[in-house]
Amino acid sequence: MEPNATLTALRDFCAERLGADLADRFVRLARPGFALTEAGPGEAAGRSRFGGRAMLEPGTEWPTCDGFPLSLIAVLDTDALAPWLDGVLPAGTGLLNFFYLDSDSEHADPAAMEVSRKLDYLDPQPGRVIAARSAHAVETAPPARSSVFDPVPWAASPGFAFPDTYDPAWKALDLGPDVDDMARVMPDTYIYDLLTDWSERPGALDSEDIAFGRPEFPTGSAPLLPNDDDPNLYHHLLQLSGQGEWYIGGDGGWMHWSIPTEALRAGDFSRAIPTPDIW
């Protein structure tokens, strides 16, 4: 099903349970995204994958943090994903390379931990996103001390993501004049109490690893950004719940990268930042 047809089916599903007006307002919170799962033969979304080598244009500098090389975590092939994203990012964006400072995996150089200890939780330096035009990108060998993870190609199943429980995006939802104060304080609870079969909706994203869409925060937090920036002005790029070889520290953690929406529309991925969720 193509995105407009899926969105219409999703709106109809919600209208049967919320009424047409509230359903229309609620579905405006939906953002197109992809559930990422390990690809079988012939299922890969272009060159999208976890791990492997970076796909960079010749002459691109390898990103560093305080002089220490970051590690390639994932690649998204936006040429394969673009038809579902409906203008979310510029045409021809190509491959997005996601980097982070690996200080916790079994591959990590011990010196990376010393670098990470100097950094604040919200410091953007440990992460970077670098775009490369597909026709020009080549596999690029990492510098010494940068971790390399076994590549896992991704299949990408399209759908629509909604805000997580404490996401400030809920504040924009008008529930109508007849709801009580508790519903206004907890709009997500009010909505999902009415959508008792929510898991059966059209366009559900059934994966903890997600491209684009909206982030999930299992710690019960919300998107945390440097300088108290408004999360509503950012767009989500990638969520990783954890992989066999790599995790971001703490007792557990999910990794996210986000970007100001106006930078995304301009194709300026130098402004993308990591927004990790660690407990």
Side-chain angles (χ1 to χ4, degrees), residues 116-166:
S116 69
R117 286 173 178 162
K118 302 175 186 177
L119 303 172
D120 179 81
Y121 175 71
L122 295 180
D123 196 317
Q125 293 185 80
R128 204 76 51 81
V129 177
I130 298 179
R133 293 168 295 176
S134 297
H136 300 266
V138 294
E139 282 199 3
T140 304
R145 303 194 295 172
S146 177
S147 302
V148 179
F149 302 101
D150 290 339
V152 179
W154 275 327
S157 301
F160 288 91
F162 286 81
D164 203 22
T165 298
Y166 297 104

